[in-house]
Amino acid sequence: MSQFDRRSFLKAGAVVSVATATSALSTVATATEEGVAATSKAATGVTKTLARYLVAARYEDLPANVRKEGTRTLLNWVGVAVGGSHHETVDRAVAALKPFSGPRQAGLLGRTERFDIMNAAFINGVSSHIFDFDDTHLKTIIHPAGPVVSAILALSEYRPISGKDFLNALVLGVETECRIGNAVYPNHYDVGWHITGTAGVFGAAAAAGKILGLSEQQMVWALGLAASQPVGLRESFGSMNKSFNPGRAASNGLFAAILASKDYTSSEGMIEAKRGWANAISTKQDYREITEGLGQRYEAALNTYKPFACGIVIHPAIDAAIQLRNENHLTADQIESINLKVHPLVIELTGKKTPQIGLEGKFSVYHSVAVAIIEGAAGERQYSDRAVRDSNVIALRDRVVATIDPAIKPEQVDMTITLKDGRKLQKYIQHAIGSLEVPMSDKQLEAKFLSLADGVIPAAQARKLLETCWGVERLGSAAAIAKAGVKKF
Amino acid sequence: MSQFDRRSFLKAGAVVSVATATSALSTVATATEEGVAATSKAATGVTKTLARYLVAARYEDLPANVRKEGTRTLLNWVGVAVGGSHHETVDRAVAALKPFSGPRQAGLLGRTERFDIMNAAFINGVSSHIFDFDDTHLKTIIHPAGPVVSAILALSEYRPISGKDFLNALVLGVETECRIGNAVYPNHYDVGWHITGTAGVFGAAAAAGKILGLSEQQMVWALGLAASQPVGLRESFGSMNKSFNPGRAASNGLFAAILASKDYTSSEGMIEAKRGWANAISTKQDYREITEGLGQRYEAALNTYKPFACGIVIHPAIDAAIQLRNENHLTADQIESINLKVHPLVIELTGKKTPQIGLEGKFSVYHSVAVAIIEGAAGERQYSDRAVRDSNVIALRDRVVATIDPAIKPEQVDMTITLKDGRKLQKYIQHAIGSLEVPMSDKQLEAKFLSLADGVIPAAQARKLLETCWGVERLGSAAAIAKAGVKKF
């Protein structure tokens, strides 16, 4: 064949209702563009099974621990979104999109502007990932709340919904994205996809679709339209494009659900079909992760929250430092030296001895330990330019020594502080705070929340917002969350 | 390690300006989420080279044949978009998105509604792919105009631009998506991606970015944000999701360019980096297709247009039928029988002898030949339910015989019509009309255009719209195209 190859020649020429016209095609289905995806190598029913579950699942079905974790997921996410809301990344997104936004349907957390729900979902999603301080599903490194809560927070201001139904949608969205992530992780992530954006779009579509009251058929279509819009590549990490990804996953998922609600169709098995999402996007597909134990085991119960605004490789050391500080009422001037026995990765990843700017501080175990001793925290402000240039922090940082110990695992640390009076204080961390084994307490989540909100919204508003999140199940209208989280003037 | 695996443990904790903090990371870059993508296995400079070309390329640089083909691309696309604009697929999209649209910035071809530019780009893109009757870059089976022209048609109503600059942006967008498509085709398509949506988003971003006057750095970012938003899977073919894909590629590319215009950043090498687009989305990457001969050879000059609203496997037979009809002023009642010698694929793909509905007609070489003899065309109306149920068409259809001939190639046909008076008329087709070898003439494009517009907009308006498209290079404002193509009341 000449210029056009076999594929183009075989290409059929219309939107074809395949079911009505496939008999003559079936033997060459794999060679036609319109071709019915051959199912011989693919699973069947995955998308439908998931959709059926999503449509049927009720708030009343959620176990208490799942409801609680969903509430903590909400609270943590609202805090980080408020905290990030005035970063220049968000300012640029707002400036770019303002001329094109629709009706002022939904608020931006921590800000005064209002946008249509899809643009609001996008921007809140960006805000919430700015500090990379949001929640983590550790099995997949998905940040579950960004795509899901961004979408339904905006939608809740447009479509009235109770707090109970909001929480149910949140849990179902998180469940959807984490299960789909499990099915393709790690291969999918290893090749370069940012799994928060690629799996997240399903979570956003599922949660928004639940709020919109989609039928099972519509939910299948919403998941199919979501499958058509994966977001994000790891190459973009280090740029504003990283925060873009959960935001765009949120707006894409919402877009999918809204179209499906008006019977805009997709195929029936977009997740699992031969030329569907999982086969196109990953070399591993374990569909049992999606369909088994729905309503019985909850990935949404496995969410975790970062206590410290840096990579978790340093978290054991920071945890040890803060515990010793608080238990002994330590001040920097008492300390002669701080010795850490660490896993080699701590040095490899965070061995920067003299960070010059705040961001570099996140790659310095020395700075992290010193500032944690002095300020009792390791949040965003402990990684500001101010913090890494603080003379007291620098003086203490220079007295921190980290030594590789083959017996120490990455999630562990062994810290010994030698005081000027000769005493030695020792702390061994088996699992750092924020891990599944030692989750952040509600109080610690509150402290993180209030610290992030500090300087963005008034303290009284932050406190009220916190209480609104804790009380989500009692809200008559979930729109109260967004209303409590926007800046008033 | 316990619940969290190595990846999650290594995950760094913030939006990190990697350039400022990489020295300690470089040895383990491949293991970190924020990790600098190792460049050892990846190409470099592809995205930048493309961006530099796009920013520098001027209308005056375009060879005459490329300008002409760009104009034909525009004309054909406007026709199919008008023609598809009242399909229920479009009605549902319009109904779904209306409550969320921003200012009435841009029109919908063939319709009265106005939407913000991003929603308008989406909907026009959907309309233009409804009949799968749009243009085709045969080397990749990309439908180039959908993503690109949808984006810039809308943008041209918001950002004043001359017709010359509009055409230049159109060509550059088509060039961008087809070259990127070449780099990953066929592996990328074979695995299941709908290449019109995955490569198309780059075309939309490039063309919109050109109109927005992006700097080289901003164009790099626009391409990066585009890389983060591929659209579409082949599993969705046969549903409304197929038309969704060029539409969403258009709005995603526009979204990328608009954000980049306000300095929303991405990485520098999103197309080619180790964890960038091409490596994530394809097992084949030939970057020379993207960077070599820019401004010298033009993929945009290789665009083709379908004369018939069905798969091209039947096109030679239809071409022969219409030629014999016109040359001999044939009517159905003169015909005793029609004998075709065809390639086996014609029978395999289009062997339906008694189609019952219009869509099935597209899979019947018998119907196609019969209706072409009787009506002298094979456009959308020849594949309506009315057409396949027409008693004259059915009577002639039953006298069509197709025989497999091993000597006949797929792009060929050998037709013999036996008349009732005993004469035999014969036509051998080497390359059907619409191929690169026998492109549609301007007159044929006009006839297709007017046929598609018939019944959607008044005939006088259709004629004026046609002339506006032909005269794009003389337009003071390219907004005239959209203005001429919307329904007035």
Side-chain angles (χ1 to χ4, degrees), chain A residues 1-5 7-17 20-21 23-25 28 32-34 37 89 92 96-97 99-103 105 116-118 122 126 130-132 138 141 143 158 185-186 189-194 224-225 227-242 244 248 252 255 258-259 262-267 270 273 275 277 279-280 306 310-313 345 348-349 352 359-360 362-363 410-411 431 436-437, chain B residues 1-5 7-17 20-21 23-25 28 32-34 37 89 92 96-97 99-103 105 116-118 122 126 130-132 138 141 143 158 185-186 189-194 224-225 227-242 244 248 252 255 258-259 262-267 270 273 275 277 279-280 306 310-313 345 348-349 352 359-360 362-363 410-411 431 436-437:
Chain A
M1 301 182 65
S2 54
Q3 269 92 341
F4 42 60
D5 73 3
R7 282 176 196 81
S8 60
F9 198 84
L10 294 176
K11 186 175 177 304
V15 173
V16 172
S17 176
T20 65
S23 61
L25 294 175
V28 289
T32 67
E33 189 185 6
E34 258 68 23
T89 303
R92 293 183 192 182
L97 298 174
F100 313 107
S101 175
Q105 294 160 335
D116 68 80
I117 64 170
M118 278 180 280
F122 170 70
V126 172
I130 291 292
F131 299 135
D132 213 332
L138 291 165
I141 332 187
H143 303 292
Y158 177 75
Y185 188 87
Y189 186 79
D190 288 347
V191 78
W193 294 103
H194 188 193
L225 294 167
S228 303
Q229 304 174 78
V231 180
L233 297 161
R234 290 170 59 194
E235 169 61 18
S236 70
F237 292 178
S239 77
M240 294 178 178
N241 197 157
K242 184 165 198 263
F244 174 95
R248 195 57 170 164
N252 281 357
F255 194 71
I258 286 169
L259 283 169
K262 296 294 182 187
D263 292 327
Y264 195 104
T265 72
S266 179
S267 297
M270 284 286 279
R275 292 200 177 78
W277 185 86
N279 282 314
K306 279 187 185 176
C310 57
I312 59 177
V313 71
L345 284 169
E348 285 177 24
L349 291 169
K352 195 168 274 286
L359 285 172
E360 288 183 302
K362 300 195 177 200
F363 294 89
E411 66 268 31
H431 296 288
L436 270 175
E437 294 80 359
Chain B
M1 299 182 68
S2 56
Q3 271 92 341
F4 43 58
D5 72 4
R7 282 174 195 81
S8 60
F9 198 84
L10 293 177
K11 185 174 176 306
V15 173
V16 171
S17 175
T20 65
S23 63
L25 294 174
V28 289
T32 68
E33 188 184 6
E34 258 68 21
T89 304
R92 293 182 192 184
L97 298 174
F100 312 109
S101 175
Q105 294 160 337
D116 68 80
I117 63 171
M118 278 180 279
F122 170 72
V126 171
I130 290 292
F131 299 135
D132 213 332
L138 292 166
I141 333 185
H143 303 293
Y158 177 75
Y185 188 86
Y189 186 79
D190 287 346
V191 76
W193 294 102
H194 187 195
L225 294 166
S228 304
Q229 303 174 79
V231 180
L233 296 161
R234 288 171 60 194
E235 168 62 18
S236 70
F237 292 178
S239 78
M240 294 179 179
N241 197 156
K242 184 166 197 262
F244 174 94
R248 195 56 170 166
N252 280 357
F255 194 71
I258 285 168
L259 284 168
K262 296 293 182 188
D263 292 328
Y264 196 103
T265 72
S266 179
S267 296
M270 285 286 279
R275 292 203 176 77
W277 185 84
N279 282 313
K306 280 188 185 175
C310 58
I312 60 179
V313 72
L345 284 170
E348 285 178 21
L349 291 169
K352 193 166 277 286
L359 284 172
E360 288 182 304
K362 301 197 178 202
F363 295 88
E411 65 268 31
H431 295 290
L436 268 176
E437 294 80 1

Side-chain angles (χ1 to χ4, degrees), chain A residues 104-117 119-121 123-124 150 153-154 157 482-483 485-486:
Chain A
R104 294 159 46 84
Q105 294 160 335
L108 307 183
L109 292 175
R111 300 184 66 105
T112 55
E113 299 93 344
R114 293 183 70 79
F115 277 68
D116 68 80
I117 64 170
N119 278 308
I123 294 169
N124 282 329
S150 304
L153 186 86
E157 290 202 79
K483 283 187 175 42
V486 300

Side-chain angles (χ1 to χ4, degrees), chain B residues 35-280:
Chain B
V36 192
T39 53
S40 56
K41 292 183 188 174
T44 56
V46 175
T47 306
K48 278 192 182 174
T49 299
L50 178 59
R52 189 173 307 129
Y53 166 69
L54 292 169
V55 169
R58 302 171 311 156
Y59 167 79
E60 291 73 19
D61 303 330
L62 296 178
N65 69 313
V66 176
R67 295 203 306 269
K68 181 63 190 285
E69 210 56 61
T71 304
R72 285 160 53 91
T73 296
L74 171 66
L75 177 87
N76 183 75
W77 179 85
V78 169
V80 293
V82 169
S85 62
H86 288 269
H87 192 274
E88 64 178 341
T89 304
V90 183
D91 291 341
R92 293 182 192 184
V94 167
L97 298 174
K98 204 165 195 173
F100 312 109
S101 175
R104 293 160 46 85
Q105 294 160 337
L108 306 184
L109 292 176
R111 300 185 66 106
T112 55
E113 299 93 344
R114 295 183 68 79
F115 278 68
D116 68 80
I117 63 171
M118 278 180 279
N119 277 309
F122 170 72
I123 294 167
N124 282 328
V126 171
S127 293
S128 72
H129 200 50
I130 290 292
F131 299 135
D132 213 332
F133 205 10
D134 44 348
D135 51 330
T136 306
H137 177 252
L138 292 166
K139 284 159 73 172
T140 55
I141 333 185
I142 288 173
H143 303 293
V148 170
V149 192
S150 304
I152 63 175
L153 187 87
L155 185 55
S156 73
E157 290 203 79
Y158 177 75
R159 173 91 171 211
I161 184 178
S162 73
K164 286 188 172 68
D165 287 340
F166 181 91
L167 185 63
N168 189 39
L170 183 156
V171 168
L172 293 174
V174 170
E175 194 64 24
T176 296
E177 67 190 328
C178 292
R179 282 173 170 265
I180 291 174
N182 285 345
V184 298
Y185 188 86
N187 311 51
H188 168 68
Y189 186 79
D190 287 346
V191 76
W193 294 102
H194 187 195
I195 192 166
T196 292
T198 55
V201 64
F202 291 106
K210 184 71 182 173
I211 289 181
L212 290 168
L214 299 190
S215 69
E216 185 182 316
Q217 176 65 75
Q218 290 170 329
M219 188 66 87
V220 165
W221 293 335
L223 293 170
L225 294 166
S228 304
Q229 303 174 79
V231 180
L233 296 161
R234 288 171 60 194
E235 168 62 18
S236 70
F237 292 178
S239 78
M240 294 179 179
N241 197 156
K242 184 166 197 262
S243 299
F244 174 94
N245 298 341
R248 195 56 170 166
S251 58
N252 280 357
L254 191 50
F255 194 71
I258 285 168
L259 284 168
S261 77
K262 296 293 182 188
D263 292 328
Y264 196 103
T265 72
S266 179
S267 296
E268 301 300 301
M270 285 286 279
I271 295 173
E272 74 278 13
K274 183 176 178 189
R275 292 203 176 77
W277 185 84
N279 282 313

Side-chain angles (χ1 to χ4, degrees), chain A residues 48-325:
Chain A
K48 278 192 182 174
T49 300
L50 178 59
R52 188 173 308 129
Y53 165 70
L54 292 170
V55 169
R58 303 171 309 155
Y59 166 80
E60 291 73 19
D61 303 329
L62 297 177
N65 68 312
V66 175
R67 296 202 306 271
K68 181 62 189 283
E69 209 58 59
T71 303
R72 286 160 52 93
T73 295
L74 171 66
L75 177 86
N76 183 75
W77 179 85
V78 169
V80 292
V82 169
S85 62
H86 288 268
H87 192 273
E88 66 177 341
T89 303
V90 183
D91 290 341
R92 293 183 192 182
V94 166
L97 298 174
K98 202 164 196 174
F100 313 107
S101 175
R104 294 159 46 84
Q105 294 160 335
L108 307 183
L109 292 175
R111 300 184 66 105
T112 55
E113 299 93 344
R114 293 183 70 79
F115 277 68
D116 68 80
I117 64 170
M118 278 180 280
N119 278 308
F122 170 70
I123 294 169
N124 282 329
V126 172
S127 294
S128 73
H129 200 49
I130 291 292
F131 299 135
D132 213 332
F133 204 11
D134 44 348
D135 51 328
T136 307
H137 176 252
L138 291 165
K139 285 159 72 173
T140 55
I141 332 187
I142 288 173
H143 303 292
V148 170
V149 191
S150 304
I152 62 175
L153 186 86
L155 185 55
S156 72
E157 290 202 79
Y158 177 75
R159 173 90 170 211
I161 184 179
S162 73
K164 286 188 172 66
D165 287 340
F166 181 92
L167 185 63
N168 190 37
L170 182 155
V171 167
L172 293 174
V174 170
E175 194 65 21
T176 296
E177 64 189 330
C178 292
R179 282 172 170 267
I180 291 175
N182 285 345
V184 296
Y185 188 87
N187 312 49
H188 168 70
Y189 186 79
D190 288 347
V191 78
W193 294 103
H194 188 193
I195 193 167
T196 293
T198 55
V201 65
F202 291 106
K210 183 70 182 175
I211 288 181
L212 290 168
L214 299 190
S215 69
E216 184 181 316
Q217 177 64 78
Q218 291 171 326
M219 187 66 86
V220 165
W221 293 335
L223 294 170
L225 294 167
S228 303
Q229 304 174 78
V231 180
L233 297 161
R234 290 170 59 194
E235 169 61 18
S236 70
F237 292 178
S239 77
M240 294 178 178
N241 197 157
K242 184 165 198 263
S243 300
F244 174 95
N245 298 340
R248 195 57 170 164
S251 57
N252 281 357
L254 191 51
F255 194 71
I258 286 169
L259 283 169
S261 76
K262 296 294 182 187
D263 292 327
Y264 195 104
T265 72
S266 179
S267 297
E268 301 299 301
M270 284 286 279
I271 295 173
E272 73 278 13
K274 184 177 177 190
R275 292 200 177 78
W277 185 86
N279 282 314
I281 213 159
S282 176
T283 53
K284 174 205 161 192
Q285 304 86 22
D286 184 352
Y287 298 112
R288 294 169 303 179
E289 291 281 359
I290 301 175
T291 54
E292 284 188 6
L294 284 165
Q296 263 122 45
R297 63 171 179 80
Y298 284 86
E299 294 297 314
L302 306 179
N303 211 359
T304 68
Y305 318 94
K306 279 187 185 176
F308 313 125
C310 57
I312 59 177
V313 71
I314 331 184
H315 288 204
I318 298 169
D319 190 9
I322 294 175
Q323 287 196 44
L324 285 177
R325 170 193 191 269

